[in-house]
Amino acid sequence: MAEQRAIVIGGSVAGLLAARALSERFARVTVLERDDPSTRVVPEAQHFHGLLAGGLVAFESLLPGFAEGARVRGGRVVDVGEFARWSLEGVLLPAMQTGLRGIAMARADLEQLLRERVANYDHIELRANARVAGLLGSAWKITGVRLDDGEELQAELVVDASGLGSRVPDMLTRFGLKPPAQDHVKMDLRYTSCVIRREPRHLEGKDGFVYTPCAPTPRGGAVFALDDGRYMVTLLGYLGSHATPTYRGMTEFARGLPDRTLYALLRDAEPLSEPATLRHPGSVRRRYDRMRHRPRGLLVIGDALCSINPAYAHGMTLAALQANALRRVLHAESDERVLQQRYFSEATRIVDVPWSMVAGADFEFSGARGSQPPPHPSVRAYFKRALRAAARDKALAQAVYRVMHLVDPPSALFAPPLVSLVLGQPDTPAPRTRSLKLVPDLG
């Protein structure tokens, strides 16, 4: 296999990271992008994205020095507990040093840096305007792809990184195979974002503030510094609750949040861009791991495998963790059937935990619908109690930061010392989110 080709369908973050992992096993890796990335407008680029601490560790493993490259490009490499205030489910976590690094950076800039780093590998080819029309091979073995212009490209391994809209499940039906079953949680998420001028008085000097939606109010939002003179504000709503795409509409939407920080900021700030909107159905998971028969030579990564409610900012981190799993499996296995089985097994373990965390929170909103039941109520009850205790205890807060940034699994919160801390405190309401000071009497 060392002299053969691997093909990646899609030049997404997941696709580029997969190409980097494949480059250590294959002499030639071809990434097929539907459009020309130099002219493509990515809807997500108009909304803020951050790379969680677990994601940055995975990025650095695949591309050493990525964090420094991001810093040179204007990104912020930050301690996740210091640069912003985090309100999770209505509980404000302590501002503290965590030792966990994340990247706050415009999505377009981060993707451009990633693309340049991957393109530096001589045996990785990034091919633009290459649209995949079908798979080559049979129900037993995928041997390449056919482009919409009729060109056929042979490969030993094909990796689908074409995102939530992947057509690969339908392509499999042409071989008489059933497409993978899907799990889903429908939330009808809508983003509205704009850039505002940043003033020294804003957010008490903090670089950001995050307020995650907390049932029963299906609204949330975040603000992060782009540079010394600008903030990007993103508001989000579920299940029919969304901001009118005007600055006034954003301000009024923020007024309906239980916390007043984003409302106060928008009322006081000067808008620098027109609001942009984005719609996302919720969480969708394709269960390739449960297919009774999978053709050899096909793997799936990123949103094509599992697209989790983007309000939780897991997407790029999960893609990076899956790419690292792919890298490990490629080094460990030579038999393609065992390789495929082990990859989907590892990818499933990576996705299981955040899927359960997000589904548990999302099912608490009236109107949320899904194909599988939420986690057991006792698990959610313990997690909520741990959050309330973390507002008062920095050791617990450190553990919560590690879980929310996908460094540790939620099971880490069940370690005996932490259980003692959680259960040893009276379960009274923790200090809830307070509005950060801005200007008096905003009404």
Side-chain angles (χ1 to χ4, degrees):
M1 193 185 293
E3 296 302 321
Q4 297 173 342
R5 172 197 257 175
I7 287 176
V8 179
I9 305 174
S12 60
V13 169
L16 293 169
L17 292 172
R20 170 65 188 95
L22 293 163
S23 71
E24 297 184 2
R25 176 76 176 268
F26 292 87
R28 187 178 181 190
V29 180
T30 302
V31 180
L32 303 175
E33 304 188 83
R34 285 177 53 86
D35 305 303
D36 184 342
S38 66
T39 59
R40 181 179 61 205
V41 176
V42 180
E44 293 90 342
Q46 300 180 63
H47 308 272
F48 198 86
H49 287 71
L51 183 60
L52 301 182
L56 181 52
V57 171
F59 265 68
E60 284 283 332
S61 175
L62 289 162
L63 297 164
F66 189 86
E68 177 59 20
R71 187 193 63 77
V72 171
R73 295 292 185 89
R76 291 169 175 256
V77 182
V78 298
D79 185 297
V80 300
E82 283 190 312
F83 90 110
R85 299 305 306 273
W86 298 83
S87 175
L88 299 183
E89 304 198 23
V91 176
L92 191 66
L93 295 179
M96 55 183 282
Q97 287 188 352
T98 64
L100 304 173
R101 296 189 309 159
I103 293 179
M105 190 176 189
R107 172 67 176 256
D109 294 338
L110 189 147
E111 284 202 28
Q112 181 60 28
L113 173 61
L114 175 58
R115 177 170 278 100
E116 291 175 6
R117 288 292 306 273
V118 171
N120 281 336
Y121 289 84
D122 292 337
H123 55 302
I124 298 179
E125 174 193 12
L126 305 183
R127 184 168 171 181
N129 298 314
R131 302 191 175 197
V132 175
L135 299 172
L136 303 178
S138 68
W140 303 103
K141 166 70 176 176
I142 300 303
T143 59
V145 301
R146 183 179 65 258
L147 304 185
D148 61 359
D149 63 1
E151 181 182 4
E152 295 187 350
L153 303 176
Q154 300 293 323
E156 182 67 21
L157 181 64
V158 174
V159 178
D160 179 19
S162 56
L164 181 59
S166 171
R167 296 168 56 207
V168 167
D170 290 334
M171 294 176 187
L172 291 175
T173 64
R174 298 173 190 174
F175 299 126
L177 297 172
K178 290 185 178 181
Q182 292 189 7
D183 295 333
H184 65 269
V185 182
K186 294 183 179 179
M187 295 300 291
D188 187 23
L189 169 67
R190 302 195 191 188
Y191 279 142
T192 308
S193 300
C194 73
V195 177
I196 62 175
R197 192 176 304 283
R198 181 185 182 191
E199 303 291 349
R201 66 182 180 277
H202 289 160
L203 301 186
E204 300 177 353
K206 287 287 182 184
D207 285 343
F209 174 74
V210 180
Y211 183 87
T212 64
C214 179
T217 305
R219 299 184 176 196
V223 53
F224 292 109
L226 295 176
D227 50 41
D228 289 340
R230 300 180 302 156
Y231 277 128
M232 178 174 280
V233 180
T234 294
L235 302 177
L236 60 95
Y238 295 151
L239 303 167
S241 179
H242 60 275
T244 303
T246 64
Y247 192 74
R248 181 176 180 179
M250 290 183 67
T251 305
E252 286 304 307
F253 181 88
R255 188 173 190 170
L257 290 169
D259 177 276
R260 306 276 282 183
T261 299
L262 294 174
Y263 170 60
L265 178 63
L266 289 168
R267 281 202 58 176
D268 185 64
E270 173 191 355
L272 298 177
S273 73
E274 292 296 319
T277 62
L278 180 68
R279 189 171 182 173
H280 192 280
S283 299
V284 178
R285 183 178 184 184
R286 295 186 174 101
R287 301 309 304 253
Y288 283 92
D289 57 306
R290 294 181 178 174
M291 288 183 69
R292 294 185 64 182
H293 175 74
R294 291 187 303 258
R296 300 188 311 277
L298 176 66
L299 301 179
V300 187
I301 193 170
D303 283 355
L305 182 68
C306 181
S307 176
I308 290 182
N309 182 342
Y312 296 86
H314 287 158
M316 290 190 291
T317 294
L318 289 178
L321 293 172
Q322 291 164 32
N324 267 285
L326 173 59
R327 183 191 196 187
R328 290 192 300 271
V329 172
L330 288 169
H331 279 284
E333 302 294 345
S334 57
D335 182 275
E336 61 180 11
R337 175 64 72 184
V338 177
L339 185 154
Q340 183 190 61
Q341 180 62 43
R342 181 170 168 185
Y343 168 74
F344 278 116
S345 178
E346 290 206 22
T348 297
R349 285 196 294 270
I350 289 168
V351 167
D352 274 344
V353 168
W355 177 272
S356 180
M357 289 171 58
V358 170
D362 284 352
F363 272 119
E364 293 184 353
F365 290 92
S366 177
R369 296 291 182 269
S371 59
Q372 63 182 95
H376 194 280
S378 63
V379 176
R380 283 290 295 157
Y382 178 82
F383 182 72
K384 289 181 177 181
R385 182 163 181 169
L387 272 183
R388 292 190 290 269
R392 306 183 184 95
D393 187 291
K394 287 193 173 182
L396 272 173
Q398 175 75 14
V400 168
Y401 277 119
R402 292 181 65 85
V403 169
M404 66 184 277
H405 281 270
L406 301 187
V407 175
D408 290 339
S411 59
L413 296 175
F414 289 86
L418 295 182
V419 172
S420 297
L421 289 174
V422 172
L423 301 183
Q425 295 191 34
D427 191 27
T428 56
R432 294 185 68 82
T433 298
R434 63 176 180 82
S435 298
L436 300 182
K437 294 179 182 177
L438 182 63
V439 292
D441 296 325
L442 284 174

